[in-house]
Amino acid sequence: MHAPEPTLFGLLAEFDTPQALVDAANAARVKGFKVMDGYSPFPVEGLREALGKPRTLMPVLIFCGGLTGCFTAFVLQTFTSGGHPTEWDAYVPQWFNYRLNIAGRPFFSWPAFVPAMFELTILFSAFTALFGMLLLNGYPRLHHPLFEVKEFLRASSDRFFLCIEATDPLFDIDETYAFMKHLNPISLSEVPQ
Amino acid sequence: MSNLTVRVKERALKASGLAFTVGLVGLLVSISLLFVTGSQAFFQSYLTAYILPSGLAIGCLALLMIQHVSGGYWGYVVRRPCEAGARTLPFVAIMFLPLFLGLTDVYKFFPKEHEHNSPEAHLNVHSDNRLWAWSDPDLEIEDHEKIVLDAKKGYLSDNFFIIRTVGAFALWIGMGLGLSALARVEDSKGWSPSLKQSMQYISGPGIVVHALVILLISTDWSMSLQPIWYSTMYPVIFGFGQILSAMALNSIVFIYLRDGGEDLNDSRNRKILRDLGSFLLGFTVFWTYITFSQFLLIWSANLKEEVPYYLARSRGGWEYLTWALGLGHFLIPFLVLLFREAKRRADVLWKVAVFILVMRFADIYWQIRPAFDPGHWDIGLETVQDLASFTGLMGIWIGLFFREVSKYGLYPENDPRKDTEPVHTVADDVIIPNTAH
């Protein structure tokens, strides 16, 4: 067993059905591989578990984003429309206590704050969902070694790929190649770094 | 019949028998309390108690019509219980009959002195004789209230009320029994495109008719208890509350009937449960949206005719129920149902659904009861009467419902959706067994 080739990103196997990819990923996980990923044109049921990847963090992030939005709107409105006048008024910026007397209602009119709290909850959740997804997916990134493989173009239309990366502790160019060959892929390519 | 079908039938009949027993006990307690608390408390309780069971039946009909038009696997799942609910509508109509007495001087049947020394009594028009105060010709009201009530006389008249209620039940029963009869044809002769079309010809226009009928019925039964007050959002809250209740009931029935007989944890049932849970989540959020927007609009406008509705519910003990609704009808179910696991697990979902139904009753109690005791929640024998009436009517309705459920099996066997699967595009719905060990 010799050290992995430093010039190699990994080995890429191509499959023509989602089931074949899930089976291959299962076999690879059972074999003990950890640093690997699956690529498919659409979400494949069970692929995440087959790859042994943890569940995505997105729901937690989006929930926190929503809470942040809700809280931001509440605090913003509470502090701008202010409470009762205090002796500190001379020392705070004018926007801070921009008290609006609306038909004599209390300055702290929480029912009126709710629509904005709702809107910012949605807005922040949506932003967290979009940008969190992009960040967790590795964007912004201009290039990926897999793009060097000609066959990989079809990952966005009709082919399913499993890539075992060279950084995996079990990775050994000859043995891993033989193992992946044994999975009966349509094609098996070395991905240069 | 397979073992499973027999088992389901037994379970439904068992639930039906239990509910009938509990209901009869509740009704007996309620009727005996009539001689203690007087007919005023009895009829007020009866109306409060009537809204939820009738709403379950009407909500089942609405869901049934919606799924006939919309399609989707969830409709295949809820069809049988919804048809059963719709078939109880004739009994629901019979249960309404005593309430017609509310248009007569019914409080004098068994009079009892009620101390109306609440300082907030001015928050609603009060009648000493009739359930619906607007129907009382001897009403003691102030001049500005008289102007409003006189202007509403054309709509709020006894005969017109009776015509509307009878007409509403005629339409509901017609649509419910019609759809149920077509389901029997489907059972015996098999599914056909023309049969589906007939169901849709009832359901499509039926949804429109139902929306208009609910507009009238919510105004009559419930909103007119505060005859000066009005809210254009109220019919939506009333009608949508029925649909939410019916969805919660469907979730409970789905889990109860299959529990112990089939694996509620297999991938297909988990998907169905997740659909039902998602409906509950969405419906809960929508309930909050309409309920809060009614409050926000009235709070913002601050008009003399509208504000007393909320004043009557924000003091004298009612404010605790108001906050409890925000917490229990929105925040708790919302936070629990956000978790995918909670929606997919039968042992969690049925508890959430029962909790939602309990909160539905709390919401209805909050809508109806303060109309009789504005700004003053007197917890005493009358509260016991309320709970007894509710147990009675709800128990009897659940009994009728499960008796109907037991008749025609779990699923419409000839529905072509039988051969489809609930569809989810989210990747992690299936758990792959670890093949290594």
Side-chain angles (χ1 to χ4, degrees):
Chain A
M1 190 169 169
H2 54 86
E5 298 274 328
T7 52
L8 200 64
F9 174 78
L11 287 170
L12 183 71
E14 178 183 4
F15 301 95
D16 60 352
T17 63
Q19 193 54 47
L21 172 60
V22 172
D23 292 344
N26 257 326
R29 191 195 72 240
V30 171
K31 184 94 178 164
F33 288 107
K34 294 206 163 54
V35 189
M36 57 179 173
D37 215 342
Y39 303 87
S40 64
F42 52 80
V44 174
E45 287 208 356
L47 180 58
R48 180 180 66 75
E49 288 87 352
L51 287 166
K53 301 272 179 194
R55 263 180 73 164
T56 169
L57 207 61
M58 285 307 291
V60 179
L61 290 182
I62 297 171
F63 184 76
C64 293
L67 274 189
T68 311
C70 187
F71 189 69
T72 305
F74 180 76
V75 169
L76 185 70
Q77 292 174 98
T78 306
F79 281 121
T80 47
S81 44
H84 297 285
T86 66
E87 55 186 292
W88 300 102
D89 279 4
Y91 306 104
V92 295
Q94 281 203 332
W95 59 264
F96 190 73
N97 263 357
Y98 197 80
R99 297 199 185 87
L100 290 174
N101 182 345
I102 297 165
R105 287 189 184 79
F107 292 117
F108 177 67
S109 286
W110 67 267
F113 299 168
V114 170
M117 285 159 67
F118 173 72
E119 298 295 347
L120 278 206
T121 308
I122 304 294
L123 183 74
F124 277 46
S125 311
F127 275 163
T128 320
L130 177 64
F131 295 112
M133 182 272 291
L134 291 177
L135 283 174
L136 288 186
N137 279 341
Y139 291 95
R141 179 171 191 171
L142 297 177
H143 189 262
H144 194 283
L146 286 172
F147 297 158
E148 296 293 328
V149 182
K150 185 168 70 2
E151 287 84 0
F152 191 70
L153 273 176
R154 291 178 75 174
S156 57
S157 58
D158 61 349
R159 286 290 155 87
F160 305 84
F161 293 87
L162 177 70
C163 177
I164 298 180
E165 295 171 25
T167 48
D168 193 289
L170 282 184
F171 190 86
D172 173 271
I173 179 70
D174 300 325
E175 279 180 27
T176 310
Y177 193 93
F179 166 73
M180 291 182 87
K181 197 78 196 164
H182 163 75
L183 298 172
N184 290 326
I186 300 178
S187 74
L188 182 56
S189 339
E190 292 185 12
V191 187
Q193 185 66 272
Chain B
M1 279 200 292
S2 68
N3 278 339
L4 190 63
T5 324
V6 176
R7 200 178 161 283
V8 164
K9 200 179 161 79
E10 276 169 9
R11 258 178 109 72
L13 285 175
K14 192 179 133 203
S16 170
L18 186 69
F20 269 130
T21 319
V22 173
L24 279 180
V25 171
L27 211 58
L28 282 179
V29 172
S30 162
I31 290 173
S32 37
L33 274 176
L34 168 62
F35 302 99
V36 185
T37 56
S39 54
Q40 172 171 344
F42 177 81
F43 277 92
Q44 289 173 353
S45 297
Y46 193 94
L47 176 62
T48 317
Y50 179 77
I51 302 291
L52 185 59
S54 66
L56 285 169
I58 298 161
C60 277
L61 172 64
L63 268 185
L64 180 65
M65 295 194 293
I66 291 171
Q67 69 80 26
H68 271 312
V69 177
S70 75
Y73 195 81
W74 67 276
Y76 172 68
V77 173
V78 303
R79 240 187 95 181
R80 280 292 185 252
C82 281
E83 282 166 1
R87 279 197 304 276
T88 63
L89 277 166
F91 302 99
V92 172
I94 293 170
M95 277 152 77
F96 189 86
L97 290 178
L99 286 173
F100 282 125
L101 292 174
L103 298 171
T104 65
D105 289 350
V106 74
Y107 289 178
K108 290 182 177 157
F109 291 177
F110 290 98
K112 180 171 182 292
E113 273 309 308
H114 287 272
E115 308 95 58
H116 274 282
N117 48 11
S118 159
E120 311 288 354
H122 63 275
L123 287 175
N124 192 15
V125 175
H126 174 75
S127 163
D128 287 324
N129 306 314
R130 299 186 179 197
L131 194 53
W132 281 282
W134 49 262
S135 154
D136 190 350
D138 309 321
L139 211 52
E140 289 171 21
I141 47 175
E142 292 169 36
D143 286 347
H144 70 271
E145 291 174 332
K146 191 166 165 36
I147 294 171
V148 176
L149 275 192
D150 280 346
K152 292 185 177 183
K153 268 257 142 60
Y155 183 85
L156 292 178
S157 70
D158 294 358
N159 290 337
F160 200 10
F161 178 96
I162 296 170
I163 291 171
R164 285 191 303 259
T165 297
V166 171
F169 274 119
L171 286 168
W172 281 328
I173 292 172
M175 295 187 290
L177 296 189
L179 285 174
S180 192
L182 288 176
R184 297 290 79 73
V185 176
E186 186 189 280
D187 282 351
S188 56
K189 292 191 181 145
W191 183 88
S192 67
S194 65
L195 190 63
K196 183 185 175 190
Q197 207 165 45
S198 338
M199 288 179 181
Q200 291 186 330
Y201 278 145
I202 296 182
S203 300
I207 292 169
V208 179
V209 169
H210 173 71
L212 295 173
V213 167
I214 273 295
L215 175 67
L216 302 179
I217 285 304
S218 62
T219 309
D220 288 359
W221 293 358
S222 172
M223 184 154 70
S224 74
L225 293 171
Q226 293 103 171
I228 308 293
W229 178 74
Y230 57 88
S231 159
T232 46
M233 197 49 114
Y234 190 78
V236 183
I237 297 174
F238 189 90
F240 188 75
Q242 297 178 330
I243 294 179
L244 168 60
S245 317
M247 205 67 209
L249 179 75
N250 267 297
S251 310
I252 298 168
V253 170
F254 180 85
I255 294 165
Y256 172 75
L257 290 183
R258 287 158 185 80
D259 188 31
E262 70 182 80
D263 183 14
L264 280 165
N265 258 327
D266 65 9
S267 108
R268 181 167 154 280
N269 276 339
R270 279 163 76 90
K271 285 177 188 175
I272 293 172
L273 288 173
R274 190 169 150 201
D275 278 349
L276 295 174
S278 301
F279 267 118
L280 286 182
L281 175 64
F283 286 2
T284 304
V285 173
F286 188 63
W287 174 89
T288 314
Y289 174 75
I290 51 186
T291 306
F292 184 78
S293 42
Q294 174 179 283
F295 166 69
L296 182 64
L297 288 179
I298 289 178
W299 178 87
S300 302
N302 206 12
L303 295 177
K304 197 180 173 185
E305 312 90 84
E306 296 181 349
V307 162
Y309 181 81
Y310 284 102
L311 293 183
R313 284 156 182 79
S314 61
R315 51 186 71 169
W318 289 115
E319 68 270 30
Y320 301 115
L321 187 56
T322 309
W323 286 109
L325 279 178
L327 193 70
H329 205 314
F330 167 60
L331 203 60
I332 294 173
F334 174 72
L335 288 180
V336 172
L337 288 173
L338 272 184
F339 290 92
R340 188 182 296 159
E341 242 353 83
K343 283 178 274 197
R344 291 197 301 200
R345 275 178 48 187
D347 55 334
V348 179
L349 191 67
W350 80 263
K351 286 176 196 140
V352 177
V354 168
F355 185 73
I356 288 178
L357 267 191
V358 171
M359 292 321 291
R360 283 303 309 140
F361 178 65
D363 181 33
I364 286 163
Y365 199 79
W366 180 90
Q367 287 174 25
I368 308 275
R369 197 66 221 192
F372 305 119
D373 308 304
H376 177 67
W377 191 5
D378 195 10
I379 297 179
L381 258 189
E382 294 175 23
T383 319
V384 178
Q385 172 72 289
D386 287 340
L387 293 178
S389 304
F390 176 67
T391 317
L393 293 189
M394 191 69 180
I396 285 171
W397 187 81
I398 293 281
L400 290 166
F401 171 72
F402 269 111
R403 206 194 59 183
E404 292 299 327
V405 165
S406 73
K407 282 182 181 166
Y408 302 110
L410 276 177
Y411 292 116
E413 290 301 326
N414 292 336
D415 192 312
R417 283 175 288 187
K418 183 185 179 184
D419 302 322
T420 62
E421 275 276 307
V423 180
H424 283 288
T425 49
V426 178
D428 53 2
D429 234 12
V430 180
I431 285 156
I432 306 273
N434 193 334
T435 45
H437 310 294

